Amino acid sequence: MNLVLMGPPGAGKGTQAKKLYADYRLPQISTGDILREAVAAGTLLGKKAKPLMEAGKLVPDELIIGIVEQRLQKADCLGGFVLDGFPRTIPQAEALDQALERASRRIDAAVSLEVPIELLIERQSGRRSCPSCGTIYHVVYSPPKQQGQCDKDGAPLVQREDDKPKSARARQEVYAKQTAPVKAYYEKRGLLRTIDGVGSPERIYSEIRLALGK
Ligand code: AMP
C-alpha cells in the first residue's frame, strides 16, 4: 500500500504513521524528520531549510521533491510506504504522481486527519519528543512516567522550535493556504479518505484501518 497521510501540524500524522509501521511494516517517510536531520547535521540542505522551518514556512518544492523521489526508490519502500508531511503543495503532489508513474506505481489512498484549530494548537504546544529515539509525548495527554524524560531511553525530552506559539500559528496558516488544496487533488481522483482526528490514537487508528479496508 502506498499511502499519503495528510493533516495540519498536530493532527497526529506521526503517531498514526508509527502504528501503520508496527502493523504493516510500511516505512514512514517524514519529510519533516528528514529536514530536521539535515539541520542537525549542518548540511547545505539543512542550512537552507533551517530559517524557513523556524519561521513555520515551507521549504521550496525543488529542495524537497528530489529527496522524496530518491527515498522512495530504496528497497524498503518497494512493498509500500506512508508519506508523512509530503506532498504539501499541488506541485509536490504532481511531482510525486509523475515519479511513481515512471516506476509503474501509484498512490492508493490519501488519509486526511481532521482536527479543529484550537485543539491543534493545544497539541502542538504540549508536544515533546525524544531526540534520540523519536518517541512523541504530550505533557497532558500522554506524559512520560518521569517528567521531561523519555520512558524508553531516559533522554531529556525536547520541544520543537516550530511548536512554540508564534511558529505554531504560522504553520497552521501555511497549511490552510498551501496544503489544504492538496486534499481536493486527491478527492478528484477518488483517493481521499477523511478521518475525524479527535479522540484517542487507538480509535483514530481503527478508523484509518476501516477506511483502508483493513
Ligand atoms: P513537519 O515535521 O512535517 O511538521 O515539518 C516541519 C517543517 O519542515 C515544516 O513546517 C516545513 O518548514 C518543513 N517541511 C516538511 N515537509 C515539507 C514539505 N513537504 N514541503 C515543504 N516544507 C516541508
Side-chain angles (χ1 to χ4, degrees):
M1 248 193 322
N2 302 332
L3 298 180
V4 168
L5 254 187
M6 295 191 63
K13 300 185 294 295
T15 302
Q16 297 302 328
K18 286 183 176 62
K19 288 184 177 296
L20 286 163
Y21 180 75
D23 278 352
Y24 303 107
R25 290 286 174 257
L26 292 172
Q28 171 193 13
I29 318 295
S30 159
T31 44
D33 285 350
I34 293 171
L35 290 168
R36 276 184 288 279
E37 276 162 26
V39 170
T43 63
L44 187 59
L45 169 69
K47 288 196 174 102
K48 287 184 184 162
K50 190 171 189 255
L52 295 164
M53 292 173 76
E54 283 177 359
K57 295 183 182 155
L58 297 186
V59 307
D61 291 336
E62 58 273 19
L63 276 187
I64 197 79
I65 286 170
I67 290 168
V68 174
E69 279 186 32
Q70 280 181 9
R71 181 66 187 86
L72 293 179
Q73 282 164 15
K74 293 210 170 141
D76 64 332
C77 290
L78 298 180
F81 52 80
V82 177
L83 280 166
D84 160 8
F86 184 95
R88 261 175 152 102
T89 62
I90 298 282
Q92 289 181 15
E94 288 169 348
L96 173 64
D97 276 351
Q98 285 156 16
L100 290 174
E101 211 177 301
R102 283 195 291 274
S104 305
R105 297 197 283 174
R106 62 184 174 82
I107 292 298
D108 297 307
V111 172
S112 174
L113 302 174
E114 305 290 325
V115 179
I117 175 96
E118 288 317 317
L119 184 56
L120 290 169
I121 297 283
E122 199 188 327
R123 284 188 185 173
Q124 269 181 285
S125 63
R127 172 159 58 186
R128 300 290 182 274
S129 55
C130 173
S132 58
C133 73
T135 303
I136 303 164
Y137 299 88
H138 188 282
V139 291
V140 178
Y141 302 124
S142 55
K145 291 191 185 87
Q146 288 282 330
Q147 195 186 342
Q149 221 176 300
C150 180
D151 291 347
K152 293 186 184 154
D153 54 30
L157 301 180
V158 294
Q159 180 178 33
R160 282 168 47 171
E161 202 50 46
D162 59 359
D163 274 342
K164 293 179 181 169
K166 203 165 150 227
S167 301
R169 287 266 171 205
R171 289 166 70 212
Q172 298 298 341
E173 280 165 25
V174 164
Y175 182 84
K177 276 201 198 119
Q178 291 177 268
T179 308
V182 177
K183 286 194 280 182
Y185 178 90
Y186 287 116
E187 191 163 28
K188 270 189 220 139
R189 289 160 177 70
L191 297 176
L192 188 70
R193 308 281 178 273
T194 301
I195 304 285
D196 177 4
V198 181
S200 74
E202 290 70 31
R203 191 209 41 80
I204 295 162
Y205 182 58
S206 62
E207 266 196 44
I208 292 176
R209 286 179 38 150
L210 264 181
L212 296 176
K214 290 280 160 194

